[in-house]
């Protein structure tokens, strides 16, 4: 399981962007006593499902949700 910072580094985005993607449902995470944790499998699935999709802002993230369901 990866921390938010590690997930951000793996995805090449900021930790704030990871938070936003988690909050809108694009990234699945597990809540722990020390914050959120992201599985490596989830990050691989995210990259596979959303390759080439612009998720640079919250409106685009919400629009991208249909590709993950």
């Amino acid at each position: 399981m990866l921390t938010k910072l590690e997930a951000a580094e793996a995805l090449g985005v900021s930790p704030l962007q990871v938070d936003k993607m988690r909050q809108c449902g694009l990234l699945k995470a597990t809540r722990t006593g020390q914050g959120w944790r992201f599985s490596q499998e989830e990050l691989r699935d995210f990259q596979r499902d959303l390759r080439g999709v612009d998720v640079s802002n919250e409106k685009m993230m919400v629009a991208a949700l249909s590709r993950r369901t």
Side-chain angles (χ1 to χ4, degrees):
M1 298 295 279
L2 302 174
T3 65
K4 176 175 59 173
L5 182 58
E6 292 167 332
E9 290 174 1
L11 294 173
V13 299
S14 72
L16 180 60
Q17 188 75 359
V18 169
D19 274 338
K20 288 180 180 180
M21 290 187 285
R22 179 191 50 76
Q23 290 168 354
C24 79
L26 274 179
L27 275 178
K28 298 173 191 156
T30 302
R31 180 80 169 138
T32 68
Q34 298 178 338
W36 294 96
R37 297 288 187 254
F38 302 84
S39 74
Q40 291 178 336
E41 181 180 0
E42 169 61 15
L43 296 182
R44 281 192 301 270
D45 291 348
F46 174 85
Q47 289 173 318
R48 180 199 65 223
D49 295 347
L50 295 173
R51 179 172 284 126
V53 175
D54 180 6
V55 292
S56 61
N57 64 55
E58 292 175 39
K59 185 176 180 179
M60 299 298 254
M61 285 184 234
V62 171
L65 276 171
S66 64
R67 293 196 64 171
R68 295 227 62 205
T69 56

